[in-house]
Amino acid sequence: MPLIARRNEPLRHGAAAPADAAVATPNRPGYFEPMAHFTLLFAALGLACKADPVDEKRADPSPDSAPPSEDSASADETDERSPPTPARTSAELIAVLEAALNPGAPSPQQPAERYIHLMGLGDSACPGHPTNLMDSIVPLSGCTAESGVVYAGVALYTDTVTAASRDLRLHGDFTIDTPEGTHLIGGGAADFATMQVSGAPDTVDWNMSLTGTWREDGGEGWMADGFGGLIKASGTLGPREAKASIDGVMTLRGVSIEAIDLAFDATQCAGHPKGALKVRDDSGLWATLVFSERCDGCGSLAWDGAAEPEEVCTDLVEFGKSLLILPATP
Amino acid sequence: MRPLLLLLLACGEATPKPDEATTPATATPEAVAPHDPSLGLEPASPARILRRMSLDLRGTTPTLEELAALEADPSALPALREAMLADPRFEERLVDLFGEQWWTLVDNFDVEAYDYGLPPSDTFELRRAAGEEPLRLLAHVGARDLPWSEIVTADYTVANPLLGEVWPLDYPAGATGWQVAPWTDGRPHAGVLVSNGLWWRYRTNPFNQNRSRAAAIFRLLTCTDILARPVAFGEASRPTSPEDQLAAILTEPYCVACHAAIEPVAASLFGFWVTVQYSAEEMTRYHPERESMAAEYTSVSNAWVGEPVYGLADLGLVISQDPRFTTCAVKTMAKALWRREPELHDLPTLTELDQQFRAADQRLSALVAAITDTPQYQVGRLTDAAPAEAEERERTVSLLSAEQLRHVLRDLTGYEWTRYGDDLLQDDGLGYRVLAGGLNGVNVTSPQPDPGLTWNLVWLRLVQASASYVVTHDLLTRDEAPRLFTEVTLEDRPGDAAFEAQLEDLALRTLSRRLTEGEAAALRDLWTALLPTDGPQGGWTAVLSALLLDPEFVTR
């Protein structure tokens, strides 16, 4: 709670206070006790006055929402409060979901590789270190290398590789601009690790996490649109085994998604997922999709506040593939 | 009183207190507004009320024309007030007034100009713009007579070109100044609830999980200070682990008293959750994907005092329909204009104001007009019938705020106190704003109610500088039309018609009344005393300084 400085005693009836009465006094004891009563009484009187037309206002769709549809997620016209009207139908939402995920899963390797490549275009004066952006060298306003690349912020990069493992980490809050016009933004952490499975040298266990905001204006792949969120994934990849699961929240290619124990297994379910996804509609409403055990990419979709879920089908096989082979993604 | 007067003066003698007999038309109370005699509040003169309104609603003293109009017709006050409410400066004043209670003008955020690649010269402008942004939205709605509910339902914010450059906003191409600008990052339509400036001020951290922001929402929009609730901690439970603490928040009686309200509101704010606190990108954009994190972190669903809500846009709508929303708007404006905290005694007045506000479709100008009609606003002195507690409660005289001092000095003299382009009465870097009676929104959260030694020194220096500035501008340099010394030249002397007319004009422009003969004589003597050593410009500087240092000028 902020310290409230009270200065002199208050002026009374036009008389000025003595100039030397610069005394800080605390709030009056018990001040908020009558105020609590006052607020409650005031609120009660307010309630006794003209009531606002709650039902009418809540039943009207927002000015920016789509026109009411025949979809079961449409606003309820009863006296109870209704959720916002979705901007899309369930089918449209699924299409948006597929378009966001199927081009490929976000991987920590991509921003890390891009970062280390751009760091290689620097020099001993700027950024002054082959892998790290340090505020002891790079000024707050950034610096420009002889190559024309501009570095700003702070970042720590490590890539520890052994015969059996790899541990890649990029943490920071930085931007790197190139003369070609690309603008790399990193605000968060990108971690990726692999470990060779004992007794199966061609199989690795892997895990990754990607948190924060990662984007490259003028860049390639998912980084061109950017990523925001907190996700973690893990899996196993080998000639006889490929499985992976992903958890967390992300905005990818403009669509906000939450993965809840979303799992893929190349040897099962024909590439379709298990687990659940939540997808955010442009109206702000979320819909939850729980995949069935039938392994057919179908499941029940329930909009927040909707009475009944509905059966929908998706095709996220390509997304699953990209997740399964994530360790091999450049 | 005398020590203060002597301390305030730069040179010369004190301006004697006004003679009531020469004060322009002191209308009877009924001509201004009917007052309940039992309150013991006698209204100030119409001219004094006009001056008070002008300073509160525009930050300036009344014009000579307005004073003349009121003198000719004491019932002209409402019409003059309407013009003030339509003045563009009213919107600027609303920014000041809301700033006193919303505390966003802190000039200290986790993101700086260099984070956006802006030059150092933009440092203060960015800090100030970020803090003003939520206040500009409030002022925009208030000044344009939009329903007050729009402050929590608007699909836009109000931004300046600098914010339009660095924030995800659709700032109008080719425009200047503060303009309506929709967000382009998909944040919900929830007005100030999705303001970057608001959430940059009211921070959170990984453990707090938006609870402090939820408390801020309650304080700012319903005038409910959750942090002031008395809490008696139980003896049995002392949770130490995060899991136990979360459980306690939701189950222990001494925790639930506050957290039952806070948790569901905090759950609505996860779109402003950041993973890197000082990252410009994380702090600048809304993160819609993180809305669904609330269930995992807080184990509660979004709600407003027990009523489920579907995200921030819905939260804004529900808040706007809470009866406390309008009562809080009334209380906020009453506090701003009465220059004191409303108390239980004021309940009948506040209730009536609330009814008028709702009847006027929540138009802020109607509320402001109604407040300026209240006896609490128009009070000039206490009568013998005033109850004893009125002496402690009522403010018959209030010190001008730091913002009002800045506005009125600039209006009268053209002077702005700057250093390297930064207005020192706005910038907290050197602290002059607080020293001049202002607040910084962090550890000084209310305006200074009474003058003190430091305030006196700051005002003394400002008066000296501004008086010298305008005398040089108007009487020496004369490159532009004079601002204040419109009647006189350096050749005029006491007794000359121009000299006397200028004295009267200065008094009307500063004190909003005519001088008594004794006061006029004292000022002539002061001017004459300075003439041999400082010339006529020194004399006028001293005369103006005396008027600006007078307690009657620095109060309203």
Side-chain angles (χ1 to χ4, degrees), chain A residues 8-9 31 81 213 215 251, chain B residues 281 289 307-308 341 450-451:
Chain A
N8 305 331
E9 292 298 317
Y31 174 79
R81 293 190 56 254
T213 297
R215 188 174 81 246
T251 293
Chain B
E281 194 68 19
E289 75 278 358
E307 187 169 7
E341 195 75 42
D450 306 300

Side-chain angles (χ1 to χ4, degrees), chain A residues 76 143 236 265 316:
Chain A
D76 193 346
C143 66
T236 301
D265 191 326
L316 294 174

Side-chain angles (χ1 to χ4, degrees), chain A residues 258-269:
Chain A
E258 180 181 4
I260 305 168
D261 292 332
L262 192 71
F264 295 86
D265 191 326
T267 63
Q268 299 177 15
C269 291

Side-chain angles (χ1 to χ4, degrees), chain B residues 83-405:
Chain B
M84 293 180 193
L85 292 172
D87 191 306
R89 289 171 291 184
F90 175 56
E91 187 169 354
E92 299 295 317
R93 281 294 297 147
L94 286 179
V95 174
D96 296 338
L97 294 174
F98 286 122
E100 289 180 350
Q101 299 185 56
W102 282 59
W103 303 341
T104 61
L105 298 175
V106 296
D107 301 337
N108 180 9
F109 299 108
D110 292 333
V111 179
E112 294 281 11
Y114 58 75
D115 289 314
Y116 292 122
L118 297 172
S121 56
D122 283 344
T123 297
F124 173 72
E125 186 183 348
L126 178 69
R127 290 173 179 172
R128 177 43 56 102
E132 270 196 31
E133 177 245 336
L135 307 178
R136 287 284 171 179
L137 174 57
L138 304 177
H140 171 84
V141 172
R144 284 164 182 72
D145 272 348
L146 300 171
W148 191 239
S149 56
E150 192 154 321
I151 69 168
V152 287
T153 61
D155 61 354
Y156 58 86
T157 188
V158 179
N160 67 1
L162 184 61
L163 295 182
E165 183 182 337
V166 298
W167 284 2
L169 292 165
D170 186 10
Y171 184 84
T176 59
W178 292 90
Q179 302 287 341
V180 167
W183 296 99
T184 59
D185 58 357
R187 63 186 70 191
H189 299 168
V192 75
L193 294 177
V194 294
S195 156
N196 269 6
L198 186 67
W199 300 132
W200 282 20
R201 164 61 180 85
Y202 294 98
R203 303 180 178 103
T204 190
N205 61 43
F207 187 71
N208 179 259
Q209 296 174 1
N210 295 312
R211 295 179 179 100
S212 59
R213 289 171 167 169
I217 288 176
F218 276 101
R219 180 179 72 81
L220 296 172
L221 298 176
T222 70
C223 294
T224 305
D225 192 345
I226 300 266
L227 294 176
R229 290 181 178 176
V231 177
F233 289 97
E235 291 298 326
S237 176
R238 290 284 187 269
T240 53
S241 71
E243 295 75 19
D244 289 343
Q245 286 166 350
L246 180 60
I249 281 172
L250 300 176
T251 58
E252 291 288 346
Y254 53 84
C255 295
V256 169
C258 297
H259 282 274
I262 289 179
E263 298 301 297
V265 176
S268 300
L269 298 172
F270 272 80
F272 288 96
W273 185 260
V274 299
T275 62
V276 181
Q277 188 171 350
Y278 300 97
S279 165
E281 194 68 19
E282 283 279 292
M283 293 284 289
T284 299
R285 291 183 175 273
Y286 183 72
H287 307 287
E289 75 278 358
R290 301 173 203 187
E291 290 173 355
S292 66
M293 290 171 57
E296 175 185 352
Y297 278 80
T298 66
S299 302
V300 300
S301 301
N302 303 0
W304 174 256
V305 289
E307 187 169 7
V309 297
Y310 301 94
L312 267 176
D314 208 31
L315 178 65
L317 192 59
V318 173
I319 289 176
S320 73
Q321 295 166 348
D322 188 315
R324 294 172 296 176
F325 179 71
T326 57
T327 59
C328 185
V330 168
K331 186 183 169 194
T332 298
M333 293 310 302
K335 177 178 177 179
L337 295 173
W338 292 348
R339 307 309 291 167
R340 65 167 176 81
E341 195 75 42
E343 298 184 4
L344 203 56
H345 174 85
D346 300 305
L347 186 57
T349 306
L350 293 172
T351 302
E352 185 178 343
L353 288 170
D354 185 53
Q355 292 171 347
Q356 293 177 10
F357 185 43
R358 292 165 183 259
D361 296 326
Q362 298 186 15
R363 292 183 299 110
L364 201 73
S365 62
L367 173 61
V368 169
I371 291 174
T372 59
D373 279 338
T374 60
Q376 294 92 330
Y377 182 82
Q378 296 190 351
V379 62
R381 72 182 195 90
L382 303 183
T383 67
D384 293 339
E389 60 269 20
E391 285 198 23
E392 184 69 28
R393 177 182 61 241
E394 302 298 341
R395 297 196 68 84
T396 58
V397 177
S398 299
L399 195 65
L400 296 185
S401 68
E403 289 75 23
Q404 286 173 312
L405 294 174

